[in-house]
Amino acid sequence: MARAARTNDAVVEAFLSLIEEGDLRPGAQRIAERAGVSLRSVFHHFQDLETLFAAAAERQMRRVAAPAPLPAGGPLADRIAAFVAARSRMLEAITPVRRAAVLNEPFSPTLAARLRWARDLAREEAARVFHVELRARKPSDRRDLLAALAVAAEWSTWEALRAHQGLTVAQARRVMARAIRALLKED
């Protein structure tokens, strides 16, 4: 039983490390070689890619789980700063694995469900941190504002800032904070 758990862990870690190194769709043979197991062992422990994706998603979730809750009260500037710092750390950490997940999302019900869950969780976090500002709006504006806040703090926005616009982490944080401040301004 312990040996099976070690092999399972080795395969999942090999899969994640290959992705983190830029191989967004590593094949079973590469995973087996990296894990130091036979190709047969990979298929013995994981019936298909869906089960491997599920195990890797669970592992990734544990790796990047938020260490402390964000403030839901206090000055807006402090909440924005804490929110942006926490989100940017997490987004930067998940980027290699998220790239692979987004690439495979249309073909994997498991990944699609995990990504949907992660996006919902991020929206809920924004709703909690900025509940005072959201509550002050009429319902239709509240819904739109929350959607805009979620997009401003979403991984795809972070990817656009970092990869497509070539911003540093510090620059991308400033842009995210600026967008959030602009969204929360009273009309």
Side-chain angles (χ1 to χ4, degrees):
M1 192 63 126
R3 182 176 177 199
R6 283 193 306 273
T7 300
N8 190 300
D9 283 348
V11 170
V12 171
E13 285 300 321
F15 179 63
L16 288 171
S17 68
L18 287 165
I19 289 170
E20 288 167 348
E21 292 169 11
D23 185 350
L24 301 183
R25 297 184 88 180
Q29 185 62 45
R30 282 207 67 206
I31 295 167
E33 289 168 4
R34 175 63 62 92
V37 300
S38 69
L39 182 59
R40 186 171 163 229
S41 288
V42 171
F43 292 113
H44 175 74
H45 287 271
F46 300 97
Q47 300 170 346
D48 54 25
L49 281 177
E50 284 298 297
T51 55
L52 180 54
F53 287 158
E58 288 296 323
R59 179 76 48 90
Q60 180 70 354
M61 241 173 38
R62 286 194 307 270
R63 284 180 176 179
V64 299
L70 290 168
L76 178 59
D78 293 348
R79 287 183 285 130
I80 290 173
F83 180 80
V84 168
R87 286 292 296 163
S88 63
R89 272 193 306 274
M90 191 268 302
L91 294 170
E92 192 68 16
I94 68 168
T95 288
V97 174
R98 182 59 71 97
R99 282 181 182 142
V102 168
L103 177 68
N104 291 292
E105 182 179 15
F107 315 106
S108 168
T110 298
L111 288 176
R114 297 295 170 133
L115 289 172
R116 192 171 33 258
W117 174 83
R119 290 175 186 121
D120 290 346
L121 192 63
R123 182 198 311 299
E124 290 168 13
E125 184 177 61
R128 189 177 56 73
V129 172
F130 303 115
H131 71 95
V132 171
E133 293 75 20
L134 288 162
R135 196 175 53 224
R137 306 292 177 100
K138 60 185 179 183
S140 61
D141 188 35
R142 187 179 311 145
R143 185 183 56 248
D144 292 349
L145 176 57
L146 181 55
L149 288 167
V151 168
E154 171 63 54
W155 177 81
S156 58
T157 302
W158 187 256
E159 177 76 344
L161 294 171
R162 296 280 288 125
H164 306 297
Q165 294 191 30
L167 300 182
T168 66
V169 170
Q171 291 168 327
R173 282 180 177 161
R174 283 196 307 273
V175 170
M176 183 186 286
R178 182 179 193 151
I180 291 169
R181 279 193 307 274
L183 289 167
L184 294 173
K185 275 182 153 177
E186 289 292 335
D187 294 330

